[in-house]
Structures are given as C-alpha cells and as structure tokens.
Amino acid sequence: MKKNDDKKAPQLLQGNEAIALAAIEAKIRFFAGYPITPSSEIAELMSRELPKYEGKFIQMEDELSSMGAIIGASIAGLKSMTATSGPGFSLMQENIGFACIAEVPCLIVNVMRGGPSTGLPTSPSQGDIMQARWGTHGDHSIIALYPDSVLESYELTIRAVNLSEKYRTPVILLLDEVIAHMRESVILPQKEELNIIERVKPDIPPEWYVHYKDSPDYITPVANFGEGYRFHITSLAHDKYGFPTRKIDEVKTMMDRLRNKIYDNLYDIIQIESYKMQDAEIAIFAAGVVARSAKEAVRIARKQGIKVGLIRPLTIWPFPDYDVQRMLEKCKDIIIAELNQGQLYHEIERVWSERTKSRLHKLQRYDGLILSSEQILSKIAEVK
Amino acid sequence: MREQIPQKIIHKYLRQKKHFPHVWCSGCGIGIVLGDIIRAINLLDIKKDDIAMVSGIGCSSRMPVYIDVNTLHTTHGRAITFATGIKLAKPNMKVIVITGDGDGTAIGGNHFIHAARRNIDLTVILINNNIYGMTGGQASPTTPVGDIATTAPYGVIERNFDICELAIAAGASFVARTTAFHTIEAKKIIAKAISKQGLALVEIITQCPVIYGRFNKKGSAVDMLKWQRDNTIPVESISKMPEEKKKGKIVRGILVNKDIPEYTKEYEKLIENVSKPQNYTKTHKKI
Ligand SMILES: Cc1ncc(C[n+]2csc(CCOP(=O)(O)OP(=O)(O)O)c2C)c(N)n1
Ligand code: SF4
C-alpha cells in the first residue's frame, strides 16, 4: 500500500486496504477490533497507520469490547470504527443498539462470510443483510451501505463516516469477501475532492446545552465528554437531556426521533445505481459482487436484444422502497439475485403489491461460491 | 486540608434538580459508596469537567446519573470497554468505572481481566453486594457457598471469586478492598486509586439488606454494617495477629500498589516513536 500523497497514479488495492485508507482520510482516529477473517487486514492496516496520525488503535479481547471501546472513544470526541465478520458482528449487536439509542456516531465494517456460526470462514456470502438491519433488539433505524468495487469501498467508507456524524448514528458498511480481498487498480479521489463532515460543536454556555435537542432536520451541535459540557448518556430510554425516563410522551418522542432522523432524510441517505433501465422489461435486483456479475449479464443479454436492466442499491438500509416500487411498476419480470436464501427477495416482496403486476424470480446461491454472469444469463433466458 | 462538613461536599457534586429520590432501597450501601467517591474527588480537588464516570447495568451501576460529571451508563458488563475508549480518546481525563459483582466479574469478567493486564489508567470501583440485586436476587460469582439466592434455592455450590486476587493475578497496578462501613478508609483508598496511574481496582463490600440480607437472614442494614466491621481486618495488622484471630476474616486495605507501565502512556510513547523514524527503528531493533 502506498502513502496517500501520490494518489493520481493508479494503485493496486484490496477492498480492505481501500477501507482503511478511506477511514484515515475521513479522519477516523480510533479503531478497536478483534481479528477475524476476512476483515483482519483492516485492523492490521489501522494498527500501522493510526499512530502516524496521532490516532489510537487497540486490539480488544473480543467484539463486545471492541464495540464498547469505539462508542466510548466517539463520545469522547474521536471518529471511531471497527471491522469484523459474521460471528464478531453477532457479538457486536447489543452495543450497536447502544449506539442507536444513545445516538453515537461510529462505523462498523462487516466483511460478510458464510454462516450460520463459523460456517464458511473464507467464502463469500450475503447472509448478514438482515442482521445489519435487525441484529440488535428493539425498534431502531440503521444506515447500511454496500459497495461493489474497491474504489466504491473507498468512497462509501467516507460517506459512511459522514452519514454517521451527520445523523449521530452507527453506520454499517457491508462488504462481500470477494471485494475485500480482490485487488483492483484504482485512482483514489484527491483530498480536495472529498467532502469530510466534522462534528459540529456547541458554542452555547453549558447550562443551555441539550444533548438531544429537537431540530427539524435532526442535525444539532454535539458536545464531547471532557470539554466543559457535563451531561448524561444512558442505554435506558431518556429525555432530551439524556436522563432516564419512563414518561410515555418522552419515551415516544425519543423513539420517533430515532426513526424519523433517518426516515425523514431518505433523499440524502439513499443511493442506488440504475443500469440500462430506461426501456427494461426485465430487471435484476442485486447488490455488491453479485451486481457485478449481473451487469456483465445485462451487457451480454442486451447484445442478444433482450431488454434487461439492473438496479443496485448502494444504500441497503434504509431500503430503497421508492426505487424498488418504480422498478416493480415498470418491469414485468424481476430477478432478485443474491448470495443467501432470500433476504433481499423478502424485502422486494414486502414492497410488491398486486397493482405492480410484476413477477418476482429468485436466483440464490449459498454454497460458498458467487453467482456468475452465466447463471444470471440463463435465469434471464428462463424468465423472458 | 481541613474538610468541610460532609453534606456540603456532597451538594457540590450531586445533580440535585432532576434525579431524586434515587432508585436504591432504604438501607442500601450503594449510596454510602457514592458519598465516599464524592468525598475522594473533593479531597483531590479534580475539576468535574475532567472526570468521566462510566457504569454497566445493575443497582450499583445506577450511580453515575446522580453525580455532576461526564456520566455514561452503558450495557451489562461492558463499562470497562467504553471507559477504555474514553481514556484513549482523552488521556487526561480521570475515568472512574462503577460496576457490581455480577457486572464486573460475571458478564464483564473478561474485560476486567484484560483491563488489568493492559494496566490502563482506569479506577474501577466494584461494589460487591454478593448478589444480583437489580434482577431480584440471583446468585452472583461472589455469593458465598451455601447462601441462598433465587437461582440457588438449595444454597450456592459454586466456589466464589476473590475479586482482589483476580485483579492481582491479572496484573493491576493498584488493588484494594474496603467496606461500606469503613467510609473514612474508603474515601482515602478511592482517592489513592484515582491518583494512581494504571488500573486501580477498589472492591467495596456493600450491604444489600433488602435482597441478599433478607434471603440469608443477615438482619437489618445496621446489622450488616456491623458484620462488615467485625469480619474484616486491616492488611497492616495481619502480620501481628495470631492465626486464630485471622480465620474466616476478610482482609481490608491496599493490597497492591506498584508502578508498572500504563497503557495510554505507552501508546503515547508509541506515537512519539512512530513520528520519528529514527526512534522507531531503534525500538524495533530492541525487539
Ligand atoms: C446482557 C444482559 N443480561 C442480563 C441483564 C439483566 N441484568 C440486569 S442487572 C443484572 C445483574 C446485576 O448484578 P450486579 O452487577 O451484581 O449489580 P447489583 O444490581 O447487585 O448492584 C442482570 C443480570 C442485562 N441487563 N443485560
Ligand atoms: S436490591 Fe439490594 S443492592 Fe439493589 S438497591 Fe436494593 S438494597 Fe441496594
């Protein structure tokens, strides 16, 4: 891995390396983690790079503590992240819920591997899509982004850190094992091209400070620990000052806030890629590495005169309901291609209604290999 | 320095307006420990802005909300992990962890051991009431063998942790034990623990009269406090004591106080070294 400075030249980078580089660029200055394939390179690189930027790296005793430590560091003012895979992601869930309820920005990278349990530790899988959404207990909203290339891993890492700071929420970056370990030649964006969001600090007297202040767009200045604003943060339901409450109006206000700060800002959070959809009669819905095979399949099928397109979510949570609805209204056949037993399929089914008239087709693989463009092509031929 | 009368000191540090009455039962010892901590902070004269108090989940872990510092009430067993993040992000802050016997040595036992091994500069105040209070009286790793708990209706058959021995074995630089009864001693020990650079563990044996005491016929809160007085002996006097007087007694006081490298300081050195490549290669060669 080269230093960031001579960036105009193309570099040969792994997805995991791109994430570490982007994290440094996004001003992540704290990493806590526990080794796990296929994500360990991120921790290794952060342990090497962070001290050069006066940042801190700590290898914790497990993923429960890694998640706790990044939340603590974020509360004390450092942009923080961790990286893991399925089993570790499961262990992080309780404290991800803490970051949700306490509104603590942080980044969790989950390089997915085959599950359940130890499953297929070195094989690709898209089995954690639902865990990313509903892994922690209780109602909550979450943002999860999903790149399909090394360059996009870099870009979405920066975007993930920005979104987490802006909306004071944990953001999950889901990555396919293939993208994490694959090397691609990339030209990283120049520093000036990047828009890095910094936490806005309050400039009012501490007595006036309200940690969970109401504001129409939910974006308010946030104080860090140790900077003169003394306040309380709790895992319990709390009022706007952060003090525990069981008053029904205060609890409802808190719960609504957690949902609305994400769902009132969908226009800002959701990104999808729409590929050759203008005249498409068949649409493929796929994310991450599967979308790459799908794109190839679309190109080949188009040459054969088949009107097929691709919808690829870059933001997987919140789910792009609106775009999916348009796809369902427009196309007569939808192929949902994924490396699991139907986690995306069920979401599409949720958005589907009689009115859309489209037919849904499953294309699933969960044996440790990815879907090839040939497999997608034969599915296209089958439904056409 | 002459001390003011205790109530006045407490008023300087409590968040009076919003949060009283507190959640604890009458006769509970946790409030006494809160008083001890406040008096220790006052003795050291540390700025409130520079203190973070971090807790897990349990009756004992409800403490931070009452005190006017940077307070964080986390998840069950994980307080030390959040505190580790705060300390690394703001090394100049005094980070105090409040935990219970269940929070700190059952669900959070692994973090406790590793924080001691790293010797990271945290003050861990472990309130040992020999039971899971908050959840209604289940057995904890420190419920004495033979005692009754809701999940040990025939008496506990598991051996207990000696929390201080655990911390010593894991490498903490400061280890002490006291009780809710010995509040003057507790204040002094807590002050020393906060001043210590490294992981400082203070186990405070505390009465839970409403659950542990009632199940095990330990009498009133006052009886339990008297038990603490009569069944503990100061570490300074054990060498002079005849064996039969020591039998069955719990040792109080500072058990370990040693100067060993502290994690955040070591990390700062690492940053310093990395920023100067010549130093970096030097330290590299040493290995
Ligand atoms: C992950 C998880 N498991 C279980 C609980 C339930 N729980 C809450 S407090 C507690 C025990 C607390 O005991 P201790 O740490 O000894 O504190 P005390 O209440 O006695 O002060 C338990 C088991 C929880 N909140 N979270
Ligand atoms: S249950 Fe026991 S430990 Fe909890 S508040 Fe009551 S007396 Fe104290």
Side-chain angles (χ1 to χ4, degrees), chain A residues 10-75:
Chain A
Q11 312 181 42
L12 198 56
L13 287 181
Q14 272 192 340
N16 281 346
E17 289 171 344
I19 288 171
L21 283 181
I24 297 281
E25 216 52 60
K27 300 258 161 51
I28 291 276
R29 290 296 176 266
F30 186 83
F31 185 107
Y34 189 81
I36 186 166
T37 305
S39 77
S40 298
E41 293 87 355
I42 302 175
E44 288 163 358
L45 273 173
M46 293 305 270
S47 75
R48 196 183 80 192
E49 292 302 305
L50 272 174
K52 299 181 189 168
Y53 299 85
E54 293 185 17
K56 308 270 169 77
F57 167 92
I58 185 167
Q59 180 171 322
M60 295 298 287
E61 50 274 16
D62 54 32
E63 289 85 351
L64 301 153
S65 49
S66 302
M67 200 53 220
I70 70 166
I71 295 171
S74 181
I75 287 171

Side-chain angles (χ1 to χ4, degrees), chain A residues 100-117:
Chain A
C100 289
I101 198 169
E103 305 193 37
V104 182
C106 54
L107 169 65
I108 301 114
V109 179
N110 176 20
V111 184
M112 289 181 283
R113 60 190 238 181
S117 194

Side-chain angles (χ1 to χ4, degrees), chain B residues 196-214:
Chain B
K196 182 76 196 177
Q197 204 179 87
L199 191 117
L201 168 85
V202 184
E203 175 190 357
I204 306 187
I205 297 169
T206 306
Q207 75 278 11
C208 163
V210 172
I211 291 184
Y212 174 73
R214 184 164 53 87

Side-chain angles (χ1 to χ4, degrees), chain A residues 89 112 126-135 140-146 159 163 169-174 262-263 266 269-272 285 313-321 338 343-348 350-351:
Chain A
F89 193 49
M112 289 181 283
Q126 300 183 323
D128 297 350
I129 287 175
M130 277 298 156
Q131 198 189 2
R133 177 65 189 90
W134 293 114
H140 65 282
S141 316
I142 200 93
I143 300 175
L145 309 183
Y146 202 161
R159 188 165 141 77
L163 288 172
T169 187
V171 175
I172 294 161
L173 187 78
L174 283 180
I262 307 287
Y263 284 87
L266 292 180
I269 297 169
I270 287 181
Q271 272 189 335
I272 62 147
F285 188 86
L314 282 75
T315 307
I316 197 118
W317 302 117
F319 200 67
D321 281 21
E338 52 189 327
Q343 300 190 21
L344 287 176
Y345 182 86
H346 289 306
E347 275 303 294
I348 306 275
R350 175 180 62 75
V351 182

Side-chain angles (χ1 to χ4, degrees), chain A residues 56 61 95 227 230 232 235, chain B residues 49 71 75 88 90 118:
Chain A
K56 308 270 169 77
E61 50 274 16
N95 281 341
E227 296 176 8
R230 296 188 301 275
H232 186 62
S235 52
Chain B
D49 287 339
T71 52
T75 47
L88 278 165
K90 288 243 154 67
R118 281 182 198 110

Side-chain angles (χ1 to χ4, degrees), chain A residues 30 46-48 50-62 64-78 94-95 98 224-236 239 241-244 247 250, chain B residues 15 18-19 48-50 52-54 56-57 62 64-65 68-76 78 80-91 93 107 110-112 114-115 117-118 120 263-264 267-268 270-271 274-275 280:
Chain A
F30 186 83
M46 293 305 270
S47 75
R48 196 183 80 192
L50 272 174
K52 299 181 189 168
Y53 299 85
E54 293 185 17
K56 308 270 169 77
F57 167 92
I58 185 167
Q59 180 171 322
M60 295 298 287
E61 50 274 16
D62 54 32
L64 301 153
S65 49
S66 302
M67 200 53 220
I70 70 166
I71 295 171
S74 181
I75 287 171
L78 293 187
E94 190 193 9
N95 281 341
F98 180 97
N224 299 320
F225 266 22
E227 296 176 8
Y229 294 79
R230 296 188 301 275
F231 53 94
H232 186 62
I233 299 181
T234 176
S235 52
L236 289 164
D239 64 17
Y241 301 101
F243 291 126
K247 290 193 187 129
E250 288 176 347
Chain B
R15 284 181 174 139
K18 201 158 161 83
H19 286 284
K48 291 195 236 176
D49 287 339
D50 297 337
M53 191 183 264
V54 187
I57 298 289
R62 285 298 185 97
V65 74
D68 183 26
V69 298
N70 302 276
T71 52
L72 176 61
H73 176 221
T74 69
T75 47
H76 194 27
R78 317 295 168 211
I80 286 177
T81 73
F82 286 69
T84 298
I86 294 174
K87 184 70 195 179
L88 278 165
K90 288 243 154 67
M93 286 186 90
I107 193 165
N110 200 29
H111 312 311
F112 179 82
H114 286 277
R117 174 181 65 79
R118 281 182 198 110
I120 182 165
Y263 184 80
T264 48
Y267 205 97
E268 271 159 25
L270 181 151
I271 289 177
V274 171
S275 67
Y280 181 56

Side-chain angles (χ1 to χ4, degrees), chain B residues 147-158:
Chain B
D147 276 2
I148 304 295
T150 56
T151 47
Y154 310 111
V156 168
I157 57 169
E158 290 179 25

